Amino acid sequence: MPLIAGEIDWDGAVVSVRVGVSQNRRMRLASAGFVVPAEIPLRLQLDTGSHLTGFPTAVYRALQITPFDEIPISTPSTTPGQVCMASQFDVSIFLDAPDGRTRLF
């Protein structure tokens, strides 16, 4: 498992990542002669206790992808005993490490 070192500032454990289309989508687009959307650079706060990762909807629009499913989730703002539905997207995430890119997902 990669070790991430750096300052934890007012915003928390913030890292630079790039979000792109999934590896399968990238290969299919390229093999069909379509342009592969550019990866989107983001600065994110790490939450090692979360089993989900979310991005602004603008990221998915820029990558030209749509959700493949929905899952029920509970959030701090969800009424106790209730869930809200969240869209699932298939993406690749790369950590912009000082010694090169590291594939996270």
Side-chain angles (χ1 to χ4, degrees):
M1 172 180 274
L3 176 65
I4 300 171
E7 284 187 37
I8 297 179
D9 60 22
W10 178 256
D11 294 323
V14 178
V15 296
S16 295
V17 299
R18 294 189 176 273
V19 181
V21 296
S22 68
Q23 185 174 357
N24 286 339
R25 186 171 180 87
R26 178 185 323 276
M27 289 186 307
R28 288 182 181 202
L29 287 170
S31 68
F34 291 106
V35 175
V36 176
E39 294 170 354
I40 310 298
L42 295 172
R43 295 213 9 101
L44 305 174
Q45 185 180 49
L46 295 179
D47 182 354
T48 57
S50 177
H51 66 283
L52 300 171
T53 300
F55 302 110
T57 55
V59 170
Y60 307 116
R61 280 195 300 270
L63 294 174
Q64 303 169 19
I65 59 175
T66 58
F68 67 87
D69 200 1
E70 284 190 330
I71 58 170
I73 63 168
S74 296
T75 69
S77 60
T78 307
T79 304
Q82 295 191 7
V83 296
C84 63
M85 298 305 288
S87 297
Q88 286 185 293
F89 294 84
D90 190 15
V91 298
S92 293
I93 305 171
F94 299 93
L95 177 64
D96 281 335
D99 58 349
R101 253 176 23 158
T102 301
R103 183 183 193 86
L104 297 178
F105 301 101

